Amino acid sequence: MPDVKDLLAALHAGGPDLRVKRAGQGAVAQLCTEDGHPVVSLEAPRYIQVPGEASRLLDGAAGTEAPMWWTEVRATAAVPEAQRLAASVAGRLATLLDGTTWPPEAATRTEVVTIRASGGSAAHADDGGDVLSETDVLTDQAAVVIHDSPILAATTWLTELLHTTAGTGRHLYLVTPPTTRLTLPARALLDRAPARWVIHAPETSYYDGLSGLTLSWRDGHFTPVTDPGPTVADAYRPPSGGATGERRLLLSLRTIHPADERLLLGGALECAWQTLTDEAPAGWSTAEPVNVPWSRRQLTDLARTRARSGSPTWLVAVGTPDRPAIATQRVQHTRLGVEEHITLAFGHPTGRPAPLHLLPHLAEELATRHHLAMMITELRAARADLTVPAHYEPPALPVSLTLGPDAVADLGADRAGGALSGSRPAHLGSAARPAFHYELGDGNDPAAWRRLQQIRGHVKTDAGA
């Protein structure tokens, strides 16, 4: 493990005119100018024990596999010399520890970079303190970070940045080139936060990486171009060449457990993984890269500890490199009990179809053994590596919907059974407390959306009555 002396020796690449301070509750070391503006930041090392994580987050370019120590060096775009300084810090650290850097050509070994003055405006403590001071542009309305790695992941840095930015009433803008892709956990974080993924395409200026709307910088923040009307950037349109045949099977499920000291969480996630891949999850963590081998006991202990302080637990789980799979799970205590909200994605390359025939069996296992409340499954034409590109991909199409025993009991079995006109659901579990499984389509039928909306409308109407 890199110790304090190693880190300081690497940070001395900044010469005597920069000072080192800690940020992010001690998780980040910052090289700052005399006026306190961070120039380069170095994250606390993470011990990666899960195979394939380095390759997954570096787009297959990593030369080192687990177990290993991982750290990230970031340079601000507000200071012209910062990138050279970051390269020198990374190179010195790799030399001291016999490590590797990515990309290899970005690191230098001996250069001392002199930086005497700040090139941008630093954030003040009352505006979010240490974390926001790392942003490249900070206004009253926005915090802008420029990110040029091939994969933008749900790292501890990103999680803290989103939380802090929202706490100051600002909107976070993550600006990347068109070649950058999001991991699904990173997209999940952005979907829940006041944030936008902004693509800087020199030929079309800026556009939203998830919607394609063209953007402009106006009054201290990015906003959609509306004159003469909203437009979609040409760079967002689907790439030429047509469909690749790759598919993504998506599961969204919710479980509700009675609050019990003997409760062991993660069972529904593990059951789905094993049913659909014949494997358990490889690892889990509260951020990417995922660094800890899969353990339901450790997951439960963390969730229980956080619950005592009233905080929910959000985590990421991944599979093995040869079977692309990734999940996010949120655990929280509610008036109904201990709830798990799980999104799970499986990548299926061309020639490896999704195992849709296993979904009824999975639904029954979850309903009878893991307190399933509801599950929706969908199939999508999308990258099998489970990353999100900055161009259009077709929407997912529903495949099935499962209502757990409590949901069926609340609606009434007769009424729930008639939720989808012209089709009866499969009854799962016991006759006294059945779960219902509705077949909606094969992942290629757009009419499946109409069927799903029909059931949802039926459920909402009955719930309101």
Side-chain angles (χ1 to χ4, degrees), residues 377 398-401 420 438-442 445 447-448 451-452 455:
T377 63
V399 174
S400 65
L401 168 69
L420 185 59
Y438 304 83
E439 299 283 353
L440 302 175
D442 61 358
D445 182 6
R451 301 182 189 108
L452 178 60
I455 297 175

Side-chain angles (χ1 to χ4, degrees), residues 179-251:
T179 52
T180 294
R181 305 193 303 276
L182 301 182
T183 65
L184 290 182
R187 173 163 188 174
L189 288 180
L190 295 181
D191 284 343
R192 300 202 315 264
R196 189 188 290 270
W197 180 27
V198 179
I199 306 303
H200 182 206
E203 68 280 4
T204 57
S205 189
Y206 298 96
Y207 68 92
D208 186 298
L210 297 178
S211 69
L213 287 176
T214 55
L215 305 172
S216 66
W217 180 259
R218 186 183 308 164
D219 300 327
H221 66 104
F222 282 102
T223 184
V225 174
T226 57
D227 185 16
T231 58
V232 174
D234 289 339
Y236 183 74
R237 302 187 188 283
S240 59
T244 64
E246 295 177 278
R247 293 290 185 271
R248 188 179 297 170
L249 179 61
L250 304 169
L251 283 69

Side-chain angles (χ1 to χ4, degrees), residues 92-431:
R92 285 182 173 220
L93 193 59
T95 299
L96 286 167
L97 299 171
D98 192 26
T100 60
T101 57
W102 189 94
E105 66 277 7
T108 58
R109 303 298 183 192
T110 59
E111 183 180 16
V112 174
V113 181
T114 301
I115 298 176
R116 299 184 183 277
S118 171
S121 57
H124 299 287
D126 58 355
D127 276 339
D130 296 330
V131 177
L132 285 190
S133 66
E134 293 187 52
T135 59
D136 297 308
V137 177
L138 190 64
T139 71
D140 291 339
Q141 299 183 61
V144 180
V145 174
I146 299 172
H147 186 93
D148 62 357
S149 295
I151 306 293
L152 178 56
T155 60
T156 303
W157 165 80
L158 178 59
T159 303
E160 183 65 22
L161 187 58
L162 286 166
H163 175 76
T164 304
T165 304
T168 65
R170 292 180 173 90
H171 207 95
L172 177 64
Y173 297 96
L174 296 164
V175 181
T176 76
T179 52
T180 294
R181 305 193 303 276
L182 301 182
T183 65
L184 290 182
R187 173 163 188 174
L189 288 180
L190 295 181
D191 284 343
R192 300 202 315 264
R196 189 188 290 270
W197 180 27
V198 179
I199 306 303
H200 182 206
E203 68 280 4
T204 57
S205 189
Y206 298 96
Y207 68 92
D208 186 298
L210 297 178
S211 69
L213 287 176
T214 55
L215 305 172
S216 66
W217 180 259
R218 186 183 308 164
D219 300 327
H221 66 104
F222 282 102
T223 184
V225 174
T226 57
D227 185 16
T231 58
V232 174
D234 289 339
Y236 183 74
R237 302 187 188 283
S240 59
T244 64
E246 295 177 278
R247 293 290 185 271
R248 188 179 297 170
L249 179 61
L250 304 169
L251 283 69
S252 300
L253 61 108
R254 175 182 175 220
T255 66
I256 306 175
H257 305 272
D260 189 299
E261 63 180 12
R262 295 168 297 179
L263 173 63
L264 194 62
L265 296 168
L269 179 60
E270 186 177 83
C271 174
W273 219 296
Q274 290 181 324
T275 299
L276 298 176
T277 70
D278 293 324
E279 298 177 351
W284 76 284
S285 182
T286 56
E288 296 179 284
V290 172
N291 62 327
V292 182
W294 175 250
S295 169
R296 292 179 61 191
R297 171 55 59 192
Q298 291 180 359
L299 185 162
T300 302
D301 289 345
L302 175 64
R304 185 169 287 124
T305 298
R306 292 191 172 182
R308 293 191 186 105
S309 63
S311 301
T313 297
W314 186 83
L315 61 95
V316 181
V318 296
T320 55
D322 60 330
R323 298 297 296 271
I326 195 164
T328 62
Q329 176 167 323
R330 182 178 175 87
V331 181
Q332 62 185 125
H333 284 246
T334 70
R335 62 178 181 81
L336 299 176
V338 181
E339 298 193 25
E340 296 174 296
H341 296 258
I342 301 167
T343 60
L344 179 55
F346 299 95
H348 295 277
T350 305
R352 184 190 290 177
L356 302 185
H357 63 286
L358 296 176
L359 294 178
H361 171 68
L362 171 60
E364 184 158 27
E365 286 288 298
L366 294 175
T368 57
R369 299 179 55 193
H370 298 285
H371 298 278
L372 178 70
M374 181 181 290
M375 177 173 69
I376 297 175
T377 63
E378 300 169 303
L379 195 62
R380 183 174 194 174
R383 295 178 64 102
D385 65 6
L386 304 178
T387 60
V388 180
H391 62 71
Y392 174 83
E393 289 184 315
L397 293 173
V399 174
S400 65
L401 168 69
T402 306
L403 297 179
D406 287 342
V408 172
D410 290 343
L411 288 170
D414 290 340
R415 294 187 64 82
L420 185 59
S421 60
S423 177
R424 303 292 293 182
H427 290 218
L428 310 176
S430 68

